[in-house]
Amino acid sequence: MAGSSARPDPWLTVAKLLAAMVAAGVLVAGLLLPYVGGLGLAARHEATKFLDTTCNLTETPPPQKTTMYARDGKTVLATIFSQDRVPVPLASIPKALQDALVATEDRRFYQHHGVDMRGLLRSAVSTSSGDTQGGSTLTMQYVKQMRYYQAGDNLEKQRAAIAQNLNRKIEDAKCAIYIENTEHESKDQILDNYLNIAFFGENSYGIQTAAKTYFNKDAKDLTLPESTLLVGLLRAPSEYDPFVNPDAARQRRNQVLQNLVDVGKLSQSEADKYKATPISLATKKPPDVREGCANAPATIRNAAFFCEYAVNWLKTVGKITESQLDTGGLHIVTTLDADLQNSAQKNLWKSIPATSRMTAVLPVVDPKTGDVLAMATSKHYGVATSTKDRTHTTYPVFTAYSAFGASTYKLFPLLTALSTGVPDNWPLKNEEPYKPSNCLTPSETKNGDANEQYSNNETLSSATAKSSNTFFVGLADQMFGCNLQPIVAMAERLGMKGLTQTSDENAKQTVAQVIVDNQRAQQLVLGDVSTSPLELTGAYAAVANRGRFNAPSPILRITDSNGQELNVNRPASVQAISPMVALQAVQILQGDTKSPGTSATPFQKWYAQNSSEVAGKTGTSVAVIRGKDSDQNASLWFAGMTPDLVATSALINFASPNDPARDLPGVKDPGREAYGEYASGVWLDALMPSLKSRQWSWPDPQGVAGSEVPDLTGHTMSDARAMLKDAGFRFQLLDAADNVQCASKVPYGSVAFYGPSIAVQGAVITVCPSSGVAQQVYTPPPPKKTPKKTPKPTGHSSSTSNPPPSRPGGRNHGRPPGQGG
């Protein structure tokens, strides 16, 4: 009884034969009805199901690798993929491999039309369970794999795609018939599709990647034994993995060789000769999978930081989905200049060691386009190997809102003043400490720059070069009556999104709203704002580009796997400030790199051999110790400009941005001795080779295109509006919403300042009404009268003149809660 029970049930076998024929589309079940009796009803049911089933599969290319290139379009930056696949045409696949595939997986491939009834019958007879196993043609296998890949990360759809049941067999069969008989895809095309979609183990998808993985050669160069080994992997890639199970792999290879003999494609003697040969792989272990930014090729130094930035930009700004990146086979040409990246990175590593607690960050932007040309940093990209490893990081050091931008923010009140028509020689009493007279927030400001001598009066130009804290707080307090919205608006127009982040003090307000509402002039103009080095570079780049702001962007062009160009979605260029104002700012900022500017010392070596002038601005933030501002320095900054290249050098302890600076070569006590000047030296050393190959000159602000704007000073607002309209310009108040007024002696409410003074027809002219009260200016007291004395005869006479003394500033004369230069 035990033996008889082991035999298959003949009625069950007949039923499965019937189901197999129905699934194959050969509706001859009626022939079997005399033998199956009551199974006729089931046969009709399955036949009806087959007839009612339609192929809902749309063929799409299999998942392909996305490749990112440097701006030359040739140098590979990184490859991104979910499946390591490089499609190749069938002509590049050896005929012996194609024969081995057909002999092993579907011997009647060239006879059937998508579904092989004989194979399905064999499958039904050999299967003792209720499922239909095997019997699938290459076309049906291709359909199944296509469904699986199209399921993406949806596990439920993946399981349904490869389910071994009659419903799935029917669907696969219908689609196979559709592909071969309706779409009329050739057998060669189906073979091509199959070999490029199939999985060969060890992260190898498609025959080309498999050839590289196991033999380090192109598919077209595979030998017969190599081809048969790869074909053998298809049934069970893990079981026959030659790296893991070489004996099983060899046995499977030899079976495929024998299959070729069975179909007459290989003689037995040749097969025996090949069977005797050992498996010879290119390496002893599988090659590393070099996917993603972390595995960027070493041909571009430390490029993974830029790569990660570019990928994030593509997903957020460029509107490219993660699925497109992982599977779309995109060709992405980035803005990265490989030569500039390599040069800047090499020199930056010379300046700041990766072991330092401070991280040197140097983003470089083309001001004319916003292209991000380089992203050099002293840290190596990667996960730290231990708690003591300070050399590696994956933190987004270029874009994170981390350290305070310090005195680099003086750019924004400078531009606001110039845009309003305030001249570069506008004077202000340099009173230290400075106590605001208009601001709601009471705070005292001191100058924090060592080696600077501050005069009793500083001007807009001299105060910028010397980075006078007292002057710029006084500018906001007196010139604009501590109405800070125009300065905030200027910064935001130039892409400074750190001001739009949610405030730590009030979750319902942005950083900018808290500053404006509380009139915190000191916080704004001295840069007590968490800052992205890349955004700061973009702001300065707009100044170098005659006021036209191009948001920093990393992508030049994108094409899909078919060569069709996709929209990059780069933000539109915006004229954020007038060309004249931008050039006026450049002219003033050139003073920073020359005596008595705060970066003059490092730039002496530049100007000793070069006449091209660099404009820029330093910044030094204050260290916080035990919750209080200290007399030490934390982050150090320098934003430098040329007409074709703008970069920011930032030295930041990203682990603790407000801690005193440490570990800076050449400085015994960086917390007390290193300032923005140090960052300017790092900037120059990193970019010196690139700058030496360029020559440039800055245009004269008075030479910009346009017409002279009528002199509006002292006129009423209505008269000024009419005068501008008659001259072809547009009228705009500095800030109508907050009724901002500017310090001036001209009558209250009349035009105190306007700008620019030269503009093209139709341009907006910004007008600021007078407060009727001028700014504070130091006036030397009259000399004291002394009684005349009869001079003693000496045989000669002499006279001397003693001008008012200059007041020393000094970084160690007290620190503002904010920054120095």
Side-chain angles (χ1 to χ4, degrees), residues 312-483:
N312 185 64
W313 188 96
L314 284 165
K315 293 177 182 178
T316 54
V317 182
K319 306 303 181 186
I320 298 295
T321 66
E322 188 164 356
S323 176
Q324 283 178 290
L325 283 173
D326 288 344
T327 66
L330 306 180
H331 287 244
I332 301 171
V333 179
T334 71
T335 59
L336 188 73
D337 184 322
D339 291 337
L340 179 60
Q341 173 71 22
N342 283 334
S343 175
Q345 185 61 68
K346 176 183 176 181
N347 291 316
L348 199 62
W349 273 329
K350 289 180 180 178
S351 296
I352 306 296
T355 54
S356 172
R357 277 171 282 191
M358 305 295 285
T359 298
V361 179
L362 186 81
V364 186
V365 170
D366 181 345
K368 291 183 172 63
T369 60
D371 291 352
V372 180
L373 302 176
M375 281 184 162
T377 175
S378 58
K379 300 300 184 190
H380 298 277
Y381 186 89
V383 178
T385 56
S386 70
T387 55
K388 295 181 179 180
D389 179 9
R390 293 201 295 256
T391 64
H392 293 86
T393 186
T394 58
Y395 189 70
V397 295
F398 295 91
T399 56
Y401 301 109
S402 180
F404 292 162
S407 287
T408 59
Y409 272 61
K410 289 172 182 169
L411 174 70
F412 307 119
L414 170 66
L415 292 173
T416 305
L418 293 173
S419 294
T420 314
V422 177
D424 60 5
N425 62 354
W426 184 81
L428 185 66
K429 182 179 179 181
N430 189 29
E431 187 174 23
E432 187 177 10
Y434 181 83
K435 299 178 182 179
S437 56
N438 295 302
C439 297
L440 294 173
T441 303
S443 58
E444 292 187 353
T445 303
K446 295 181 180 180
N447 286 310
D449 291 330
N451 306 318
E452 291 292 352
Q453 299 291 320
Y454 296 99
S455 302
N456 291 313
N457 283 321
E458 293 291 350
T459 66
L460 190 59
S461 182
S462 68
T464 302
K466 297 178 182 180
S467 198
S468 171
N469 295 335
T470 57
F471 181 94
F472 275 91
V473 174
L475 173 70
D477 177 48
Q478 294 185 47
M479 169 56 75
F480 303 120
C482 217
N483 288 301

Side-chain angles (χ1 to χ4, degrees), residues 57-61 142 146 150 178-179 183 185 189 193:
L57 178 72
T58 301
E59 287 186 88
T60 57
Y142 165 65
M146 177 66 65
Q150 289 182 347
Y178 177 80
I179 287 172
E183 291 293 314
E185 289 189 21
Q189 184 61 56
N193 291 343

Side-chain angles (χ1 to χ4, degrees), residues 82 237 250 516 592 693:
S82 60
R250 183 174 178 177
V516 171
D592 192 276
S693 65

Side-chain angles (χ1 to χ4, degrees), residues 281-305:
L281 303 176
T283 55
K284 292 183 178 180
K285 61 179 183 179
D288 294 332
V289 179
R290 304 197 65 82
E291 187 277 332
C293 295
N295 292 299
T299 49
I300 308 179
R301 291 187 177 100
N302 220 17
F305 287 98

